[in-house]
Amino acid sequence: MNDTRRRRTIAASSLAVTAALLAAGCGGKASGSSTESSSLKGTPVKVMVWAPENTQGSAQPGVRLTAQAYEKWINDNGGIKGAPLKVLTCNEKNNPDEAEKCAQQAVAEKVVAVVGSYSLAGDRYMPILQKAGIPYIGGTGVSAAEFSNPLSFPVNGGTPVVFAAHGRQLVQSGCKKIAGVRYDVAAAAVVSQFLTLGAVSAGGSAPKDLKVPLTATDLAPQVAAATKGTDCVSVIMGTASGLFVKAYVQSGAKTKLGSVVGNLTPELAASTGGSSSPLEGAEITGYYPPTSDPAWKDFLAATKGKDIDGTNGANATAWVAFKVFTEAAKKLPTITAKALVHELNTTAGIDTGGLTPPLTWSAATALPMKGLDRIHNTTATELTIRAGKIEWAKSGSTFVDVRKALTAASAG
């Protein structure tokens, strides 16, 4: 592809801002764990999680709540090799300086890992963790450092994978002429590029790339442009996707809608008619199975009665990251940060109970794209909105792998 080299150059540097646009609805002083277990013996296994709370922008309080729910759940079920898991939390406030303080606190507290966190400031905190030898497990794929630092162990493929898979899903569902609608900022161009890569690799044509001014409140013109001469529209505006859907409903358009998880949500479907919503049947591409899948049984039990949205990608990733941490830690004679890093780098595959394929981070499974070589899981899930809920697109669906398409692009 003629623009492959340019795409590789800008992809990693663009991911942080892109993810900020797409976050699912989307340091303060570290606080202690939410639960103690008197029945568990041994030295507590300390980890840290951070995310922005009580702040403008992409606040993610569910990440902390998910981590604390996991802490209680695992401690109620034997802990980590019989010792209690202790989760320290930190509010990074959507502020790089505060994220750096959170990382410094993690070092001071001698945690064995930072697990399932959310922050746009990876370029600030990853060098601190790397120097201390502390692994960063999970994360939400919202900073370039998460895809390049050797101490980062992402559990999903972030923006490159999910948008390549989305383009593929749209074409394979029958979309012949696609329009992608996204904000008019340079960093969001990477979304269009991977969407195009996925569509073309599946035998489709390049989607129309429509840009929305950040200040726009009436999106009738964008709806008209997106639905003219197309049969499918991918809405890529994060929590502002509702603006597009509102104008779409008012226009009376019938063009099929789709997006990646976190844009067209069950809440948005409910507010626009539920099972009769224009979002019914929308093609949704995600990282994990829908929450109705049996793989989420433990998550649902642990979070029952708590204000935790399982369809939020940051919350889901936090849970998966803790599953990975637990499985790796259980294999170690002594749980230390250094031993964890070695285990994660050499494991033959960590079982997440069906939430992902078995995960490895060996050199042989790295995605061969400059700046993205910490991506090892190149799979996504093809979902849909059915009766106002996100479900598998088809009965018997499983993970789809876009490694071949991404690898071909990097070699092109």
Side-chain angles (χ1 to χ4, degrees), residues 34-350:
S34 63
T35 183
E36 298 292 338
S37 178
S38 59
S39 64
L40 297 176
K41 307 300 181 183
T43 304
V45 179
K46 286 199 299 185
V47 301
M48 182 175 277
V49 60
W50 56 63
E53 296 193 51
N54 303 315
T55 183
Q56 294 182 338
S58 183
Q60 296 286 355
V63 169
R64 172 182 56 81
L65 294 173
T66 299
Q68 291 171 336
Y70 187 90
E71 175 191 41
K72 183 179 188 308
W73 177 81
I74 196 68
N75 287 343
D76 287 346
N77 288 275
I80 309 291
K81 298 180 66 176
L85 174 66
K86 185 175 183 180
V87 175
L88 305 180
T89 64
C90 191
N91 180 6
E92 62 89 76
K93 302 178 182 178
N94 267 332
N95 184 321
D97 292 336
E98 296 296 327
E100 191 171 295
K101 290 178 183 178
C102 288
Q104 292 167 343
Q105 185 72 27
V107 175
E109 293 280 359
K110 297 180 179 175
V111 302
V112 296
V114 175
V115 184
S117 297
Y118 183 105
S119 174
L120 304 179
D123 292 340
R124 294 283 290 275
Y125 61 74
M126 279 308 309
I128 296 171
L129 297 181
Q130 183 179 8
K131 184 177 180 180
I134 298 173
Y136 185 80
I137 303 172
T140 318
V142 293
S143 68
E146 292 181 61
F147 294 124
S148 58
N149 191 287
L151 268 289
S152 177
F153 297 88
V155 297
N156 63 53
T159 300
V161 168
V162 77
F163 278 99
H166 184 49
R168 175 187 184 277
Q169 181 178 355
L170 289 174
V171 170
Q172 293 193 344
S173 71
C175 298
K176 299 184 183 303
K177 296 182 179 179
I178 304 167
V181 181
R182 49 118 174 155
Y183 275 120
D184 187 11
V185 293
V190 70
V191 167
S192 176
Q193 291 167 349
F194 283 109
L195 180 68
T196 297
L197 170 63
V200 172
S201 70
S205 57
K208 184 191 306 183
D209 182 27
L210 295 177
K211 307 176 186 69
V212 179
L214 283 172
T215 55
T217 55
D218 177 9
L219 301 192
Q222 285 78 20
V223 168
T227 55
K228 183 177 181 180
T230 63
D231 49 18
C232 296
V233 178
S234 179
V235 186
I236 313 164
M237 296 180 62
T239 54
S241 296
L243 288 174
F244 184 91
V245 174
K246 178 182 178 181
Y248 175 91
V249 171
Q250 292 174 343
S251 75
K254 301 298 181 183
T255 307
K256 188 174 184 178
L257 298 180
S259 194
V260 301
V261 68
N263 289 267
L264 303 181
T265 63
E267 292 76 16
L268 189 53
S271 69
T272 54
S275 59
S276 61
S277 165
L279 301 188
E280 184 73 7
E283 301 291 339
I284 307 294
T285 312
Y287 298 111
Y288 313 115
T291 54
S292 60
D293 191 277
W296 289 105
K297 175 176 62 71
D298 291 340
F299 172 85
L300 295 176
T303 60
K304 185 177 181 180
K306 298 178 174 63
D307 186 21
I308 299 174
D309 178 8
T311 68
N312 178 300
N315 300 343
T317 295
W319 183 268
V320 174
F322 271 97
K323 292 278 287 184
V324 167
F325 168 77
T326 300
E327 291 302 307
K330 287 194 307 186
K331 299 178 182 179
L332 303 176
T334 302
I335 302 171
T336 66
K338 183 177 180 180
L340 269 174
V341 170
H342 180 266
E343 176 63 31
L344 291 167
N345 277 326
T346 57
T347 180
I350 287 183

